[in-house]
Amino acid sequence: MTPSLDTIFAALADPTRRAILVMLLEDDMAVTDVADPFEMSLAAISKHLTILSRAGLISQEKRGRVKWCKLEPDALRDASIWMQSFGQFEAVNLDAFERFLETELSDPPPAND
Amino acid sequence: MTPSLDTIFAALADPTRRAILVMLLEDDMAVTDVADPFEMSLAAISKHLTILSRAGLISQEKRGRVKWCKLEPDALRDASIWMQSFGQFEAVNLDAFERFLETELSDPPPAND
DNA sequence: CCAATCGTCAACTAAATGGTTGAATATGGG
DNA sequence: CCCATATTCAACCATTTAGTTGACGATTGG
């Protein structure tokens, strides 16, 4: 079954989880490596990954004792489509996009004390 | 200040609030009228509207004793832009969009007993 | 003016969320 | 085989969330 919009938007509502998604843009990662830049416990990150997984935003594949996390960008499709209904077609402003991604990459909760 | 992505996505994560946004696509509405199709109390809807308002997704203007709620689609821009970063440019599939909006309009929580 | 309407506030509840720690379960390497 | 590594589980805690009800303040219309 496809995850509900509830689940997808709720998953996206947490800055730690969005930061994880941004990290996974680069490459697939093991759970431990995902957790590394954050100040919270591995167990907490593991929970966040479960939430992202249930939302369909990532997939996790266990190879050996390592569980690899992979971005599943298609899951954003439903949410994206929902948002299009509010006339956001012209939202694809690359300038804004770049500024935004930049703040998201420089700002995020990893080491946010 | 512009509402955070946290606030916007969290606001979108609730089906009642998404249903309210869909209702407001049609036209501006008074709080009481927004509440009408739902089974929950007026106070509950009032709280939902506050959350949508803080997220910048709607604006509220009081004229006389009636408070009018108006969709503010621009607020979705940041969230939309964020999602574009995951390669969703081809997500604007009108077929999927129409199917989706349809289910959202026929399914939603109003009178969901 | 006064009653009815519109909407919020305050106080409360139940459940969900995001975090912790410590133990438990796989798995792999030397 | 055994220890270290990788990850989750279980129990717990504090905070937030979504809802309720009843009282309250503001406004309007007859």
Side-chain angles (χ1 to χ4, degrees):
Chain A
M1 118 274 157
T2 344
S4 67
L5 278 183
D6 287 28
T7 311
I8 296 170
F9 280 127
L12 293 174
D14 184 281
T16 299
R17 289 192 290 263
R18 287 197 310 278
I20 291 174
L21 292 179
V22 169
M23 289 166 62
L24 290 177
L25 270 179
E26 302 273 340
D27 208 352
D28 300 357
M29 296 178 78
V31 173
T32 307
D33 295 333
V34 169
D36 201 50
F38 296 92
E39 287 192 330
M40 69 188 69
S41 68
L42 180 62
I45 296 295
S46 177
K47 283 189 192 178
H48 281 304
L49 290 169
T50 301
I51 290 169
L52 288 170
S53 188
R54 281 209 239 279
L57 292 165
I58 67 168
S59 58
Q60 294 183 285
E61 183 199 357
K62 194 164 177 183
R63 282 206 297 274
R65 60 183 165 181
V66 174
K67 203 168 189 178
W68 292 92
C69 306
K70 178 177 163 48
L71 201 60
E72 291 292 340
D74 283 0
L76 281 173
R77 176 169 300 220
D78 281 354
S80 184
I81 288 169
W82 193 88
M83 303 214 308
Q84 303 293 341
S85 70
F86 294 93
Q88 290 313 293
F89 288 91
E90 72 280 315
V92 188
N93 175 327
L94 272 301
D95 278 1
F97 164 58
E98 285 184 47
R99 269 186 286 110
F100 206 87
L101 197 52
E102 201 171 328
T103 64
E104 188 73 18
L105 281 162
S106 60
D107 241 7
N112 65 335
D113 56 324
Chain B
M1 119 274 159
T2 345
S4 68
L5 278 183
D6 288 29
T7 311
I8 295 170
F9 280 128
L12 293 175
D14 184 281
T16 300
R17 289 193 289 265
R18 286 198 311 279
I20 291 174
L21 292 178
V22 170
M23 288 166 63
L24 290 177
L25 271 178
E26 301 273 340
D27 208 352
D28 299 357
M29 295 179 78
V31 173
T32 307
D33 295 333
V34 170
D36 202 49
F38 296 91
E39 287 192 331
M40 69 187 70
S41 69
L42 180 61
I45 295 295
S46 177
K47 284 188 191 178
H48 280 305
L49 290 168
T50 301
I51 289 169
L52 289 170
S53 189
R54 281 209 237 280
L57 293 166
I58 66 168
S59 58
Q60 294 182 285
E61 184 198 356
K62 193 166 180 182
R63 281 205 299 274
R65 63 182 163 181
V66 173
K67 202 169 190 178
W68 292 92
C69 305
K70 178 177 161 49
L71 201 60
E72 292 291 342
D74 283 0
L76 281 173
R77 175 168 304 220
D78 281 354
S80 184
I81 287 170
W82 193 88
M83 302 215 308
Q84 303 294 341
S85 70
F86 294 94
Q88 290 311 294
F89 289 91
E90 71 282 314
V92 189
N93 176 327
L94 271 302
D95 278 359
F97 164 59
E98 284 184 49
R99 270 187 284 112
F100 206 87
L101 197 51
E102 201 171 329
T103 63
E104 188 72 19
L105 282 162
S106 58
D107 241 8
N112 65 334
D113 56 321

